[in-house]
Amino acid sequence: MNKKDCIPNYILRNALLTFIAAFISFMISIMSFYQCSIVESIQHIFFIDIYTTLYFLLIWLLNYMIFEISKIIYDEYRQILSYKPIILFILMIVIIYILPLLDLFQYDFIILCLFIILRIIKEMLKKTY
């Protein structure tokens, strides 16, 4: 398989991963704010208000950019960093959880950091085998 054939799959996989992070954080935030069910929170995200939908799409795009930037940085400094980014991301998760931020950003950043940690672990395992 040619490397160019894998690029659409790679982009789709990363887009889906960052979509899940944004979607879960929006669902939790809207469910706690409006005290509603999962179905009603989906309606709030996609159907009731265009501004909420656009805000969701912007958070998704920001997540995708952060995910790609973290991938580029880790791939560039793979030999130097090894397991250190995992510790850094775990510390950032704890700090973000403690800081009094809007819960949407807390959930989104925590979920995104967990996905980045999983990607780093996958790359470390791929390097060893």
Side-chain angles (χ1 to χ4, degrees):
M1 184 181 255
N2 192 352
K3 186 171 177 111
K4 288 184 180 182
D5 295 336
C6 295
I7 292 175
N9 294 335
Y10 167 78
I11 291 172
L12 184 63
R13 182 190 68 214
N14 291 347
L16 182 65
L17 195 67
T18 54
F19 176 84
I20 290 171
F23 185 70
I24 290 172
S25 61
F26 258 82
M27 291 278 290
I28 293 170
S29 180
I30 287 178
M31 286 172 60
S32 68
F33 183 75
Y34 290 111
Q35 298 296 318
C36 60
S37 67
I38 294 173
V39 174
E40 291 171 333
S41 64
I42 292 172
Q43 289 174 346
H44 277 283
I45 293 173
F46 295 113
F47 302 116
I48 292 179
D49 189 13
I50 187 69
Y51 298 113
T52 306
T53 306
L54 291 175
Y55 193 56
F56 169 75
L57 293 175
L58 284 173
I59 294 291
W60 180 22
L61 181 65
L62 178 67
N63 283 353
Y64 188 79
M65 289 174 20
I66 290 172
F67 192 80
E68 288 297 323
I69 290 170
S70 70
K71 181 204 167 300
I72 291 168
I73 290 172
Y74 181 75
D75 286 347
E76 192 66 31
Y77 298 105
R78 182 181 317 188
Q79 303 299 328
I80 301 168
L81 295 175
S82 66
Y83 63 90
K84 294 172 188 163
I86 295 173
I87 296 171
L88 176 71
F89 279 115
I90 290 173
L91 286 174
M92 286 174 29
I93 287 173
V94 170
I95 290 170
I96 291 296
Y97 187 74
I98 293 171
L99 289 177
L101 293 175
L102 189 62
D103 64 343
L104 170 66
F105 297 120
Q106 281 182 331
Y107 297 138
D108 186 54
F109 189 73
I110 289 170
I111 294 169
L112 187 63
C113 282
L114 290 174
F115 285 149
I116 291 171
I117 288 171
L118 288 175
R119 188 209 170 273
I120 290 171
I121 291 171
K122 182 191 83 149
E123 289 296 318
M124 288 172 63
L125 290 175
K126 191 187 328 179
K127 187 175 80 171
T128 59
Y129 293 116

